[in-house]
Every structure is written in structure tokens, then in C-alpha cells.
Amino acid sequence: MNLFGHLVLRLAAAIVLCLACAIGWVLHDTRHATETETRASAERVSKALEALYWRELLWRGGLSRNLILPLPDWNTIVTMKVISPGICITVTLGQEAPRRLCSQLETIGRPAPAWFETSYDWLFGPNQAVERPLSDRQRQAGTIEAVPDHGAAVRLAWDRITIVLSVAGLLAVAIGVLAGLFIGQSLLPARAIVAGLRRLERGDYGYRLPGYRTAEFDRIAGALNDLTCRLAETTAQRVALTNRLFQVQEEERRTLARDLHDEFGQCLAAVNALAGAIELEAEDRPEIAKDARSIAEVTRRMNATLRGTLQRLRSQELEELGLEASLAQLVAGWNVGNTTRARFHLDIAGNLTGLPHAIALSIYRIAQECLTNAARHGKPRDIRLFVKRTGLQEGGAVELSVEDDGGGNPLRLTMEAGHGILGMRERVTALGGSLSIGQARHGVRIAAIIPLLADRANRMRGPAQPVPA
């Protein structure tokens, strides 16, 4: 889940928690208000009936023997006016049966659901009654008991919660929608930052993030831009160093080829001549003549091996013949000299003339390494080298691929890659290209794409101006 979803869920959880707290507060306040009204009603009824009680005593001439109690007319509108709605009053006069009076039970709220009534009873329990004497000066006169009606109390709580939830729910929805819009607007820079990281991952070091009004995002953008600059500088230095290393490698190859030709080749020629002379001088010694012929045969094999080694080491043929002819000669050499049943094929599309020397040399070396890998690993019968130039004369790219039908696992080849694969990857990366190893129809396919000068200049350009988000 993305950051926006996490924030919205947390906001929704906070809203639900606030609504739950609001419901709890409303229930508690309703319960407290009901208890307060119960005590107030008991107090008011006590005072009203006490006044009525003493008035009746006065009109009747006072108390008589056996504490004759008056029968005041307490069930009047005056008494009902001092009882809060939903409160029931029970009056007990002396030894008489208690009489109960409830005020306006039908006017309080709508009926509550059964689950709410059950929850209300579980949370608060039964209502507590409030008891007061009819007269503090004569407690034998009677008692007054006030208690909230259970149904009225539940309906009152439900009515208040309904009102609060209606208002709070509308506010919560409005707050959630507005907060979601504001959060989404605030997180827009995160998308630009992620896009910048993706471009940085692809090697685009010219992209720069703009400044943001949010301090945190602005610091992240600044750090990413600094990192991009440092990566661009490091990459440029690494590419220059890699190119220089390959130049040194080619120089060493030429030096080694020259030394082998001048020294080792001459020595082999001398050995071959000496073996011929020994064979001529030893006509009467057949065993010596046979040894001389063996030496000459070994010398010829060593000369053939030396010629193949010199062909792989030298790059003069590439400069003299061109890339296309050198590749054709390379494939022809494999078809003539290899001891396997594999056949090598070359397909060229586009014009390969006029390529920069570094790119042409790298393509030739990569083709050499790919053909060697294809011939040595597995048992292929058909190996195809395909080279294609795309784009304009000063732009575009060169695509190279080698595909065989000898089976093999590309993943294993990638994981266990030796110096050959590593060298090819370094060559391609130094030229701003990409190398991939994948599954072919019946074997392994190695493909390289090397951009030409225009693409390289575009990739290695200096720091660009900030791009608006």
C-alpha cells in the first residue's frame, strides 16, 4: 500500500476513534444529566409537597391524636410542572399505599433499537433512585422517591446520540474528503521524487528535481540532486578509466602479438629449419630422421596455434579491412578451424562503415567472446551472429546478438559469469550501452546495444536545468 493509502487509513481510524469518544461522552453526559434532573425533580417535588402538606395541616386545625395525616391533593398540574420529563415520582404518605406519577414519558425521543438498550444497560446498569422525606421537620409524614423511567432514559440517550452522530458523521465525511484532497496534494512531490529515482536507476544523470515549498520534500530533492551530480561525475570518471584500460589492453595485445611474431615465430621457424636439416643429414639413421619429422610436425602445429593466437590478439585487420569484413573473416575462421559440428553464421543489417574505432573494436571483441562462449559451452549445432546498425549516420545504435541452440541456462551463465562476461559488460557499459543474457529458442542469447556518438553525447551531457514537477 502506498503512503497516501496509509495516511487515509490512519485518518479514517482517527475519525472513528473520535466518533467513538464522542458517543461515549454523549452517553456519559446523558446519564449524568438524567441523574441531575432526577435529584432536582425530587428536590422540587419535596418542597412543593411539603408546602402543600403544612397548608393542609393548618386548614384542618393542626394535628390530632394518633398523628392523623392530611391527604393533600398532590396529583395536580402544579406538581407535574416541577417534575422533569422522563422522571417518575413515587409518594408514600404515612401508612398509605405508594402513589406514582411520571412526567411526559411519551414526548421523549424515538424508540431505541434493542441492541442499543442492551448495550446501555450493560454499560450503566439500572437507574439509581433518589429518596427524600416529605418534610425534614416531620419525617413520619412520608417519603418522596424519584427515579428515571428506564425506557425514557434509553430513548433520551439514543435521541442525543442520533443527533450527535448525524452532525459528527457529516463533519467526519467532510473532514475526510478535504483531508484526503489536501494529503494527495501534499504528496504530489513524492511522485516526482520517485520518478526521479527511477530515472536515476536507468542511468539518466541529467534529470534534476525542482525545489518544493515543503521543507522535508525540498531537502529530499536537494539531496537527490546532489547525489545525481556525484553519480554523474563518478560515472564519467569510471567510463574514462575503463576506456583507458581497454586502450592499454589493446596496446598490450599488439605488443604481445608483435613479440610472439618476432621472437617466438622466428624461433619456431628456426626449429623447423633445423629439423629439416637434421632429417636430410640423417638419411642413414632412420630413427633420427623420424624424430626430426616429429619435431617438424610439432613445430607446424605450434605455428598454426600461433597464427590463431596472433589473429585474436591483433586489431590491425579491423583497421585495414573494416568491421564487416573482419567479422566475416572471424566467422569463416571458426567454420574452418573448429573441431565441433557447429556451423557459424553471420547476418549484417545496415551500414557498418564509418563507425568510431572504439565502438568497432568493442563490437569485434564482444563478437569474439560470444562466439567463444557459444562454442565452448554446451553442444550447439548452429550459432548465429547478428549485427545491425539502426538510426542515422551520426546517431542511432549498433545491435549485436549471438544465439545458439546448445541448450544452457541463462540464469546460471549470469550468476557464474567469468571474466569473459564481465569484460563484455564493462565494454558495453563504458560505451553507454547495455548487455543482456536471455533464453533463446533452443539455447542462450547474448545481446548488446551500443549507442553511437549522438546518443553518448546526450547521455554524458552536463548537469541539466531543473525539470518542473
Side-chain angles (χ1 to χ4, degrees), residues 234-248 430:
T234 304
T235 302
Q237 294 173 0
R238 181 177 59 81
V239 168
L241 179 60
T242 303
N243 287 327
R244 179 55 185 161
L245 288 176
F246 283 123
Q247 292 176 6
V248 172

Side-chain angles (χ1 to χ4, degrees), residues 218-295:
D218 190 63
R219 287 196 292 270
I220 293 175
L224 183 59
N225 290 337
D226 294 340
L227 176 62
T228 304
C229 290
R230 288 194 293 270
L231 285 176
E233 295 173 359
T234 304
T235 302
Q237 294 173 0
R238 181 177 59 81
V239 168
L241 179 60
T242 303
N243 287 327
R244 179 55 185 161
L245 288 176
F246 283 123
Q247 292 176 6
V248 172
Q249 185 184 56
E250 290 300 324
E251 294 174 1
E252 290 294 329
R253 284 173 180 264
R254 285 193 293 268
T255 302
L256 181 59
R258 184 174 60 251
D259 292 341
L260 288 175
H261 179 271
D262 295 342
E263 299 294 336
F264 193 67
Q266 295 298 328
C267 293
L268 287 178
V271 171
N272 190 31
L274 184 59
I278 293 174
E279 183 180 1
L280 291 176
E281 293 293 335
E283 293 182 355
D284 56 343
R285 302 286 299 273
E287 65 278 2
I288 295 178
K290 182 179 179 181
D291 292 339
R293 286 192 296 272
S294 299
I295 293 174

Side-chain angles (χ1 to χ4, degrees), residues 294-344:
S294 299
I295 293 174
E297 181 64 27
V298 171
T299 303
R300 283 191 293 271
R301 288 200 301 268
M302 293 178 68
N303 271 320
T305 303
L306 178 61
R307 283 194 298 272
T309 302
L310 292 177
Q311 185 179 3
R312 290 193 298 271
L313 289 175
R314 287 173 175 171
S315 59
Q316 285 87 350
E317 291 82 356
L318 183 64
E319 299 174 0
E320 296 171 0
L321 302 177
L323 179 59
E324 185 171 345
S326 298
L327 292 175
Q329 189 178 45
L330 176 64
V331 172
W334 273 102
N335 282 324
V336 172
N338 82 94
T339 58
T340 65
R341 293 179 298 174
R343 297 297 301 170
F344 293 80

Side-chain angles (χ1 to χ4, degrees), residues 132-151:
R132 293 282 187 275
L134 181 63
S135 175
D136 291 332
R137 291 176 290 176
Q138 190 173 356
R139 293 185 176 272
Q140 297 86 352
T143 58
I144 297 174
E145 183 183 73
V147 63
D149 181 75
H150 178 266

Side-chain angles (χ1 to χ4, degrees), residues 155-178:
R155 291 198 302 273
L156 179 62
W158 175 251
D159 191 58
R160 289 192 177 185
I161 286 179
T162 303
I163 296 173
V164 171
L165 282 182
S166 300
V167 178
L170 292 176
L171 289 176
V173 171
I175 291 173
V177 172
L178 293 177

